[in-house]
Structures are given as C-alpha cells and as structure tokens.
C-alpha cells in the first residue's frame, strides 16, 4: 500500500488479506492454533525457519491485520497488539528493561500507569522519577546513568498538559534512553509521535481506535528491531497479554471510521470547551485547542486539533463536581473515554483515586475537576446536559 495515501484511505485499505472466499469485509479468524502439513513444517515454523502462524498467543491473521492498519496510520515500521493499553505499557518495560534500570515519567499520567510504575515495578527494582510534563529541564536533571526509558502522555490524562515530544526525544537520545509516548488521546489522526522523534508509541485501543466502547485492546508501535528483537514481542508471546482475534477484529473495523470520528469529536469538544469557559461556576477549562491553554502554541505545532477530551474545574470542590455528574441525563457516568457516547468522570475519586493524595496534588488533580470525553451527540444537547448540574 502506498505511503502517500491519506489516513482515511489507509484506515480502509490496509491490513487486508482476503481468504479463498474473497470476502469484502475482513474475516475474523477465531482459532487458538494453526494446522501444519507435516512434522517437518511444524518444526520449521517453531524454529522460525518458515514464517507462518503457529498459535494465537504468538500471531493470528486478524491480529496481524489490525497491527498492519494501525502501523500504516502511525507511520510505524511495526506494531504489536496487546490485550489492553496497560499491557502495552507493561510490555515496553518488561521487553526493554531489567532490574536496576531507571524510568523518568511525566507526573501527569493515567492513574494505573502511575500505579504500575510506583507500586509494581518498584518491587522488581525498577525505579521511576516523576517530573513535570512540561518542564524539559526537570527531565534533563532527572537523567541517571541507569536511565533507560522516558515515558509520557500528551495530552495528559486528565489535565491535557502538552509535553514537547521533539525536545524530550533529544533528552532521551543524549541519555541513551528510549522515549515512549502514549498517543491515546490524539490517535495518529491528530499526532504522530514517531515523526517527532519518539522511539515507541503505545495505545489503549480501548479508546478511540475501537471508538464505540466495546472491547479492550492495546498496541506498541515503532521500529521493527526494537519491537521484535528488543524483547517486546518476545515478552508478549511468552507471558501472554496478546490481543484476542475477536477484539482485534472489532478494533480493525473501528479504525475504518477513526478519521471522521476524530474530526467530529474535536469539533464538538472545542464548542463545549468555549461554552464551559463562559460558565460562572467553572473556574478553569483545560483544552489544548483553547488559546487560554498554557501550551496552546506547542499543541498547535504538535497536533492537528485539540482532541476530544475537555477537563474543567468547578467552584465548590467535590460536592459541586458530583452535582454536575449526578444531574446529567444523557452523558454516561463512566470511566472510559473515546466512545461515540459522551462520558463524564470525576478523576479524583475514580481513574486517579488509587494514587496517593500527595501524587494527586502534585499532578493538579483537584476535587473539583471533571473530565468530559466529548462524544458524537449534538453539542447543543451535551451543553444542556452539563448545564443541569452547574450552578448559574
Ligand atoms: C491515556 C491512557 N493510557 C492508557 C490507558 C490504559 O488503557 P486500558 O484501559 O486499555 O488498559 C488509559 C485508560 O484509560 C488511558 O486513558
């Protein structure tokens, strides 16, 4: 497939391997294992002498199709799919790092990522230093001789802070470390971290790539040698958090509409963000597409639009935030994001509820903060729904 095709075309025409039936919609291969023609072929497949499928924990044609489509969209040499976004992050760490290695990570990360780095990796003597998402000097100062990985999300969850990928790629190169970017909020439609110097991109495919809140999935993308020889694929194949064929098929088909969905999510989100800024009971709105966003200029260089997530702080703390949530009739009270249906979350007591108060304070996750993942409904209806619980 030609590299110069537009993303909406790539999303429809890559990863297609038709069976003998010449089906138009991609087939789903629900099988745990694959049959060999002879003992010699089985041995050749296992030794790697002959390419081909063996067992679906290793590879599966539907998963391969999903990987090819996402790789085409991200402009990546290779992609390995995982059972969730968290297992994509775990695969990077387990594939590339050893006990005694050091990670530098943004303080503004999804709560489970913070928990993985602090509560779990610590036990395996992999230490993490958390730094400001936006202050490059802090990243530079945190580099140690054993630093192997720099990890960030941009825009971050939930405050939509923007990290400078190119500048941090330079820091990583100087430190002889890998830069890993969680591109979940933007998707390759809005931002391509590999082009900006990241070594690896990870995705929670659970979010916009599926786009309708149906399945969990994840992916790691980057150079083939880093993914295949660097140990990431080896970890997944051995330890098992690979993507199921069913979930891969749902995500493969979900990606077909990614471009038009992202365009609509962004158009609706900016409208909601501007409207929230005008509400008396809202003290702050965090949205990279607003000129009031502290990294608005950087976001304009790095992303093609602001994304679908709008975070805002209401006056009156948790009580006021919960009032907004409990008065909605349309927007779903759920922790997921990237769904066609809008979702509303109180990060301090849900997605970030398990990290310490100290870490929440440092990350700026206040009790009055709400995150709306703006869906595909009419923005007018969404505004009316949010207005029900906002004090005028
Ligand atoms: C930015 C970000 N990264 C990673 C994850 C983890 O993804 P998953 O739930 O698919 O494991 C999430 C989940 O909300 C997320 O928001």
């Amino acid at each position: 497939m030609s590299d110069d095709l537009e993303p909406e075309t790539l999303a429809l025409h890559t990863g297609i391997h038709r069976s003998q039936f010449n089906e138009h919609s991609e087939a789903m291969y629900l099988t745990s294992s694959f049959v060999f023609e002879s003992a010699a072929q089985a041995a050749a497949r296992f030794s790697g002498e002959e390419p081909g499928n063996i067992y679906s924990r290793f590879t599966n044609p539907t998963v391969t199709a999903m990987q090819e489509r996402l790789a085409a969209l991200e402009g990546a040499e290779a992609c390995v799919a995982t059972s969730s976004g968290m297992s994509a992050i775990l695969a990077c760490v387990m594939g590339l790092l050893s006990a005694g290695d050091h990670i530098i990570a943004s303080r503004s990360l999804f709560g489970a990522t913070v928990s993985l780095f602090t509560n779990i990796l610590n036990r395996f003597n992999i230490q993490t230093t958390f730094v400001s998402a936006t202050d490059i000097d802090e990243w530079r100062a945190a580099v140690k001789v054993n630093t192997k990985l720099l990890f960030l999300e941009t825009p971050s969850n939930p405050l939509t802070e923007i990290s400078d990928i190119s500048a941090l790629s330079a820091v990583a190169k100087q430190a002889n470390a890998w830069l890993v970017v969680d591109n979940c909020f933007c998707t390759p439609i809005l931002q391509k971290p590999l082009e900006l110097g990241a070594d690896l991109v990870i995705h929670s495919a659970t979010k916009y790539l599926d786009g309708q809140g149906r399945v969990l999935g994840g992916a790691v993308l980057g150079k083939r040698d880093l993914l295949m020889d660097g140990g990431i694929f080896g970890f997944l194949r051995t330890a098992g958090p690979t993507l199921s064929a069913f979930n891969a098929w749902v995500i493969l088909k979900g990606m077909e509409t990614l471009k038009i969905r992202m365009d609509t999510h962004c158009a609706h989100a900016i409208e909601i963000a501007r409207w929230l800024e005008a509400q008396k009971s809202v003290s702050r709105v965090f949205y990279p597409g607003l000129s009031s966003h502290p990294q608005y200029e950087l976001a304009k260089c790095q992303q093609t639009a602001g994304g679908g997530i709008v975070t805002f702080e209401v006056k009156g703390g948790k009580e006021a935030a919960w009032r907004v949530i409990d008065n909605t009739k349309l927007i779903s009270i759920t922790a997921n994001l990237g769904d066609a249906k809008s979702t509303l979350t109180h990060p301090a007591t849900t997605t970030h509820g398990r990290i310490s108060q100290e870490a929440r304070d440092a990350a700026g996750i206040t009790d009055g903060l709400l995150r709306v993942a703006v869906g595909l409904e009419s923005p007018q209806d969404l505004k009316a729904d949010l207005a029900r619980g906002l004090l005028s």
Side-chain angles (χ1 to χ4, degrees), residues 280-348:
K280 281 205 196 77
S281 53
V282 172
S283 45
R284 268 191 85 176
V285 180
F286 304 85
Y287 182 69
L290 288 177
S291 55
S292 58
H293 190 285
Q295 292 98 39
Y296 174 65
E297 292 302 328
L298 175 59
K300 270 206 299 191
C301 299
Q302 228 170 241
Q303 306 175 198
T304 55
I309 310 294
V310 181
T311 300
F312 60 104
E313 188 178 50
V314 288
K315 295 174 188 162
K318 181 177 138 186
E319 198 189 319
W322 280 24
R323 187 185 314 117
V324 176
I325 293 180
D326 290 337
N327 277 287
T328 54
K329 293 195 174 135
L330 198 63
I331 304 178
S332 314
I333 309 170
T334 176
N336 199 20
L337 63 93
D339 196 314
K341 297 187 183 85
S342 294
T343 65
L344 186 60
T345 310
H346 184 240

Side-chain angles (χ1 to χ4, degrees), residues 84-86 89 110 153 157 182 184-185 204 206-207 216-217 337:
S84 68
M86 288 317 300
I89 299 171
F110 174 55
E153 274 169 28
N157 184 1
D182 182 335
C184 175
F185 271 33
S204 166
T206 317
K207 307 296 181 315
L216 269 87
L337 63 93

Side-chain angles (χ1 to χ4, degrees), residues 69-277:
R69 188 163 290 176
L70 184 54
L73 288 172
E74 277 288 0
E77 238 177 65
C79 170
V80 286
T82 58
S83 58
S84 68
M86 288 317 300
S87 53
I89 299 171
L90 180 67
C92 288
V93 173
M94 298 306 271
L96 299 176
L97 270 56
S98 301
D101 288 342
H102 173 243
I103 299 173
I104 307 174
S106 161
R107 215 171 270 134
S108 305
L109 294 177
F110 174 55
T113 314
V114 177
S115 280
L116 172 68
F117 288 170
T118 43
N119 305 332
I120 297 176
L121 296 183
N122 271 2
R123 292 198 275 117
F124 298 90
N125 194 23
I126 294 175
Q127 308 295 336
T128 302
T129 305
F130 289 96
V131 294
S132 151
T134 56
D135 185 344
I136 308 295
D137 289 338
E138 273 195 38
W139 291 77
R140 219 174 269 124
V143 171
K144 299 183 187 179
V145 282
N146 56 343
T147 302
K148 287 280 170 61
L149 203 92
L150 273 60
F151 189 96
L152 62 92
E153 274 169 28
T154 182
S156 68
N157 184 1
L159 284 174
T160 75
E161 282 177 280
I162 309 291
S163 296
D164 187 333
I165 299 174
S166 301
L168 288 169
S169 148
V171 175
K173 282 201 173 62
Q174 201 154 24
N176 212 11
W178 295 290
L179 175 65
V180 182
V181 174
D182 182 335
N183 200 23
C184 175
F185 271 33
C186 272
T187 82
I189 300 298
L190 307 184
Q191 171 174 273
K192 292 208 180 142
L194 297 172
E195 283 179 4
L196 296 168
D199 296 289
L200 291 170
V201 162
I202 76 101
H203 274 287
S204 166
T206 317
K207 307 296 181 315
Y208 292 107
L209 301 184
D210 167 11
Q212 290 175 62
R214 298 166 292 192
V215 297
L216 269 87
V220 189
L221 297 109
K223 289 231 160 64
R224 185 163 288 110
D225 56 357
L226 194 52
L227 287 170
M228 306 318 269
D229 311 334
I232 294 173
F233 176 66
F235 166 75
L236 288 165
R237 171 187 163 136
T238 308
T242 39
L243 187 64
S244 75
F246 180 80
N247 289 10
W249 185 84
V250 171
I251 295 162
L252 178 76
K253 301 303 282 176
M255 281 192 280
E256 292 187 349
T257 54
L258 183 61
K259 172 76 168 69
I260 52 167
R261 282 189 285 106
M262 289 314 290
D263 288 350
T264 306
H265 283 298
C266 293
H268 291 187
I270 184 85
E271 188 174 333
I272 303 285
R274 288 194 183 122
W275 173 80
L276 282 166
E277 266 197 324

